[in-house]
Amino acid sequence: MASKSELIARMEELLQHPDVEQSAEVVESLKESFEELVASEKAEAEARAAEEAQEAEAAAEVSEAKEQEERIGPPPALEPKLPQAPARPQPIESARLNGEEDKRFKQLLDAFNTKVNDLRRQRLKEENDNLAAKQAVMQELRDLIANEENIGNAFQRFNELGEQWRKVGAIPQQHFRELQQEYNQLREDFFYHIRIYKDLRDHDLRKNTALKQALVADMEAVQRVGTVREAEQLVREYQDKWHQIGPVTSEDRTAVNEAFWNATRAVYDRINDYYKARRAEHEANLAAKEGLVQKVKELANQAENLSANEWKALTDQVLELQNAWKNVGFATKKDNERVWRDFRDGCNSFFEKKNAHYAGIKAQFKAARDKKESLIGQAEALKDSTAWRQTADKLKALQQQWKEAGNAGQRDEHRLWARFREACDAFFKSRSATFEQQDAEQAGHAKEKEELIAEIEAFALSGDRHADMDRLKAFSVRWLNGGRVSPKQYDKLSARYRAALDKQYGQLKMNDEERRKMAFQNRIQDISSAPDGKERIEREGRFVKRKIEELEAEVRQSEENMGKFSFKSAAGEAMRKEMERSIERMRQEIQRLHAQHKQLRNELRSPAPAEAGEKAEEHKH
């Protein structure tokens, strides 16, 4: 393809031609070539800008990646950047002109159009003036045929009108054939209606024959001219001259006419063959361009739910189609603009989908980045907490949310994860250190409790009931005040402790009420000393509360039932007393349960032993 400077030089050369209208098709071709160069330069400039932006961003990311690599290892490979859609060809008349070459070509094009328009306006005016002049000649010729009686004067005036007709230039093409036919008929009428001297007429006919034979030779020579444009101009010119020459001798009329029109048809055959070949070329180019349109539309239809590699592969194919388009010549004039719009729309559709895809990814990255920034803030706020179980659960929930938040993009993901992991690690390292110390303490407490259980199991009653009771209570106090042990050891030690203490209390002579109170007191002490003592006390309180409600409902039902019976007989009286005793027993049980419930509430309100955190499973990260 020619450069801009070459196209400008060609335009300057064409502008110097006297008949610039003859160069209109060439100028249109130069204009389309220049517009494609402008569009190509625009696409290349945008591509370079995008590449420079990508390189700058890549350099920044590489610098950041190096810093991260020193801390956490090399990052994954960079993602491919989004290429820009090619610049769209735009008519030079409405395009924004930046370079001096663009402005110069626009000036030359404007000058050419102005010159062509001026020439066409001038020619149209001349043709209309010529039409009026020829019509005036024809009218005078009609008057001459109808009115002139002097043969000499008539023939002289006839020749003057013929010369006047020949001097008149071209007329509008749409009037040419009809006007020429009418004029020829008038001339024929003149010769048939005005008797002239035979010698003079024969001389004129021979002269016309010679002129037309010369035109036949000129028309045959048109076949050998260099360009079809020149042939078109000459064939019209020679036909005009042919029609301006009068009749020929009768014996030569047929041969001369056939020779001229055969030569004319040969010229038109050449012209038609040229345009036919050009149309075939344009149609082939149209088929090629429509094939490219179909391919780019197929690629645009495939642009859905693709991976980064698939997007790159399709993009390369679209760019290859765009390069192929540049190498295809012009299509048919009526279809060239349409097929270009179709191809441009196909390319735009593909790149719009691609831009939307990567815009969606960027939006996802931003949403994930914002979410993870929030999670980092929450994790950093918890890293110094000593509420081990609750904080560990919260951090695990934050870690799950981190996984569900998605990827924040290569540029930010590693940096955000490093901050988040640092906050989580700080908490779990502190918790691990605390649990290691706590494990050592609990191991010591477990050993003390085992020694206490062994002491209770080895205790022998002295026979002094009060002294033995005090001693057994002292064992309970020591158990209650003993340090906490791990949940895994507590249930086993607690069962041994209760069994040993129950065995000792069983050897003492205690009534049922005392045994119940003592057993309940021991139970409260036992469950309150458990790692989850408060929870167990609450569950016990709820159990006692439900038992009270069940007994109260049963008392109400029994009292209602008593109202339904008649106790007049001896059996009825006995049944009434039994029901009253049953109700009384239930009321006493309710009072006892109320006392237990109150004792449980007091235990809940009493200060709890110093809480040590429970060890949770290690955080996996």
Side-chain angles (χ1 to χ4, degrees):
M1 181 179 289
S3 65
K4 286 186 175 181
S5 58
E6 292 172 341
L7 296 175
I8 290 173
R10 180 62 176 147
M11 279 290 293
E12 290 173 340
E13 177 184 352
L14 293 174
L15 195 58
Q16 301 305 316
H17 289 181
D19 187 4
V20 291
E21 188 176 12
Q22 181 180 352
S23 307
E25 184 174 353
V26 178
V27 170
E28 182 63 21
S29 176
L30 295 178
K31 173 179 172 292
E32 292 174 348
S33 299
F34 198 93
E35 289 171 350
E36 289 189 2
L37 288 177
V38 172
S40 177
E41 288 179 354
K42 182 179 180 183
E44 291 175 0
E46 291 175 350
R48 285 196 300 273
E51 184 179 357
E52 290 173 359
Q54 179 179 353
E55 289 176 355
E57 184 176 359
E61 291 181 353
V62 168
S63 176
E64 183 177 356
K66 287 182 179 180
E67 296 178 2
Q68 292 182 352
E69 184 174 355
E70 295 175 358
R71 301 194 304 269
I72 61 176
L78 293 173
E79 291 182 4
K81 296 299 179 180
L82 188 69
Q84 297 297 317
R88 303 176 180 177
Q90 186 177 2
I92 193 70
E93 294 86 351
S94 60
R96 181 178 180 180
L97 306 178
N98 297 320
E100 293 299 321
E101 289 183 325
D102 295 358
K103 294 178 181 178
R104 177 55 179 163
F105 188 89
K106 176 65 165 52
Q107 291 172 352
L108 292 173
L109 183 62
D110 290 342
F112 178 85
N113 291 333
T114 300
K115 197 169 183 180
V116 168
N117 292 335
D118 292 341
L119 181 62
R120 287 175 178 173
R121 283 193 295 270
Q122 179 181 355
R123 186 176 63 199
L124 180 60
K125 182 179 183 304
E126 290 175 354
E127 289 177 348
N128 288 328
D129 293 341
N130 292 338
L131 175 62
K134 286 194 173 186
Q135 288 173 340
V137 170
M138 291 173 62
Q139 183 59 43
E140 190 170 349
L141 184 56
R142 292 189 192 96
D143 294 340
L144 179 64
I145 294 171
N147 302 319
E148 185 59 57
E149 295 180 355
N150 187 309
I151 296 177
N153 293 339
F155 191 81
Q156 181 180 354
R157 185 55 184 159
F158 175 82
N159 289 333
E160 290 173 356
L161 291 175
E163 186 63 22
Q164 187 177 342
W165 176 275
R166 285 190 292 275
K167 289 181 180 180
V168 176
I171 65 174
Q173 187 66 30
Q174 65 269 27
H175 301 291
F176 174 82
R177 182 181 298 275
E178 179 181 356
L179 193 68
Q180 189 65 45
Q181 290 176 349
E182 186 176 359
Y183 174 72
N184 290 337
Q185 184 62 46
L186 287 173
R187 287 174 61 86
E188 293 288 339
D189 290 345
F190 177 82
F191 285 108
Y192 282 108
H193 289 83
I194 304 297
R195 296 182 177 275
I196 62 174
Y197 295 103
K198 184 179 184 303
D199 292 341
L200 181 62
R201 184 182 64 185
D202 291 342
H203 173 74
D204 203 32
L205 292 175
R206 286 192 296 271
K207 178 182 176 182
N208 292 342
T209 300
L211 291 174
K212 286 194 174 183
Q213 288 173 340
L215 274 179
V216 169
D218 291 339
M219 185 64 78
E220 290 173 345
V222 174
Q223 284 280 40
R224 298 185 291 275
V225 298
T227 65
V228 171
R229 178 68 67 178
E230 185 179 357
E232 287 181 306
Q233 180 180 355
L234 289 175
V235 74
R236 286 196 297 267
E237 178 183 342
Y238 292 161
Q239 287 182 86
D240 289 341
K241 288 182 178 180
W242 178 270
H243 293 305
Q244 291 172 13
I245 299 174
V248 299
T249 60
S250 59
E251 61 270 20
D252 296 318
R253 181 181 302 169
T254 301
V256 170
N257 285 342
E258 288 181 355
F260 180 80
W261 291 113
N262 286 338
T264 302
R265 280 192 293 270
V267 174
Y268 277 118
D269 288 342
R270 176 191 176 188
I271 294 172
N272 292 334
D273 289 343
Y274 168 80
Y275 283 111
K276 182 178 179 181
R278 187 164 185 182
R279 282 194 299 272
E281 179 185 353
H282 287 177
E283 288 172 357
N285 292 340
L286 176 62
K289 288 188 173 183
E290 287 178 338
L292 294 176
V293 169
Q294 183 62 31
K295 290 180 181 179
V296 81
K297 286 184 177 180
E298 290 174 358
L299 294 178
N301 291 334
Q302 297 175 29
E304 298 287 348
N305 301 322
L306 302 178
S307 64
N309 290 335
E310 290 172 333
W311 274 115
K312 183 178 184 306
L314 287 188
T315 301
D316 291 341
Q317 293 182 52
V318 172
L319 295 179
E320 289 176 2
L321 294 179
Q322 290 176 342
N323 290 330
W325 181 276
K326 295 177 183 178
N327 295 325
V328 178
F330 292 106
T332 55
K333 189 169 185 179
K334 66 177 182 178
D335 295 309
N336 197 62
E337 182 63 25
R338 173 190 61 79
V339 75
W340 161 245
R341 287 197 304 270
D342 292 343
F343 183 75
R344 181 188 60 198
D345 292 344
C347 293
N348 290 346
S349 175
F350 172 82
F351 284 109
E352 285 170 1
K353 288 182 179 180
K354 183 175 181 181
N355 292 339
H357 168 77
Y358 281 100
I361 291 178
K362 289 182 180 179
Q364 292 175 5
F365 284 167
K366 184 180 184 305
R369 183 170 63 250
D370 295 343
K371 176 64 176 177
K372 290 187 174 183
E373 289 280 6
S374 174
L375 295 175
I376 290 171
Q378 298 177 55
E380 289 176 343
L382 294 171
K383 68 178 183 178
D384 296 326
S385 172
T386 56
W388 307 119
R389 173 186 289 179
Q390 295 88 340
T391 304
D393 291 342
K394 291 178 181 178
L395 287 176
K396 288 178 184 178
L398 293 181
Q399 290 167 350
Q400 182 61 35
Q401 294 179 46
W402 184 278
K403 294 177 182 178
E404 295 171 354
N407 195 310
Q410 181 178 347
R411 185 181 64 182
D412 299 308
E413 182 66 25
H414 294 303
R415 174 180 59 83
L416 296 172
W417 169 244
R419 288 178 56 197
F420 183 71
R421 185 178 62 183
E422 180 182 3
C424 293
D425 287 349
F427 168 80
F428 285 111
K429 286 178 181 178
S430 176
R431 189 189 71 160
S432 296
T434 301
F435 281 170
E436 288 175 1
Q437 178 182 357
Q438 191 177 93
D439 287 345
E441 294 176 352
Q442 289 181 349
H445 297 158
K447 184 178 180 182
E448 292 175 357
K449 287 185 180 292
E450 287 179 346
E451 292 174 353
L452 176 59
I453 292 170
E455 189 177 347
I456 295 173
E457 291 173 342
F459 176 68
L461 297 176
S462 64
D464 185 343
R465 184 173 180 274
H466 293 291
D468 291 338
M469 287 283 291
D470 291 340
R471 187 69 184 276
L472 292 176
K473 290 180 180 179
F475 286 146
S476 297
V477 172
R478 287 172 58 191
W479 175 270
L480 181 63
N481 294 333
R484 290 183 178 271
V485 298
S486 69
K488 294 180 180 179
Q489 292 177 299
Y490 175 77
D491 290 337
K492 182 178 179 182
L493 292 174
S494 179
R496 287 180 57 196
Y497 163 73
R498 287 195 303 271
L501 202 61
D502 288 345
K503 180 179 178 183
Q504 295 295 347
Y505 278 118
Q507 296 177 16
L508 293 175
K509 295 179 180 179
M510 302 174 64
N511 58 38
D512 292 340
E513 183 63 23
E514 288 177 328
R515 288 178 64 85
R516 280 196 301 270
K517 289 182 179 181
M518 184 61 67
F520 184 71
Q521 183 63 37
N522 289 337
R523 176 170 175 75
I524 291 177
Q525 292 176 352
D526 186 22
I527 63 179
S528 64
S529 63
D532 55 346
K534 288 293 185 183
E535 290 81 357
R536 295 192 182 195
I537 290 292
E538 289 178 352
R539 287 198 298 270
E540 186 72 17
R542 289 193 295 270
F543 173 77
V544 172
K545 181 67 174 177
R546 285 196 301 273
K547 190 65 177 175
I548 292 172
E549 292 172 351
E550 291 172 359
L551 289 174
E552 288 177 341
E554 191 173 349
V555 168
R556 288 194 297 272
Q557 185 63 45
S558 297
E559 290 177 342
E560 290 177 3
N561 291 339
M562 286 181 65
K564 297 177 183 179
F565 293 102
S566 174
F567 301 109
K568 295 181 179 179
S569 63
E573 181 63 20
M575 188 173 108
R576 183 182 64 78
K577 290 181 179 180
E578 179 58 31
M579 292 179 70
E580 288 176 347
R581 285 194 295 270
S582 175
I583 290 172
E584 182 60 27
R585 286 194 299 271
M586 286 189 289
R587 285 175 174 166
Q588 291 175 359
E589 180 66 12
I590 289 172
Q591 290 178 356
R592 184 180 68 80
L593 291 173
H594 273 300
Q596 290 183 358
H597 191 260
K598 181 177 180 182
Q599 192 173 353
L600 290 168
R601 289 202 308 272
N602 292 337
E603 184 66 26
L604 280 174
R605 288 194 293 268
S606 64
E611 179 181 357
E614 298 181 4
K615 187 175 184 180
E617 63 183 54
E618 284 297 326
H619 165 55
K620 297 178 182 179
H621 56 282

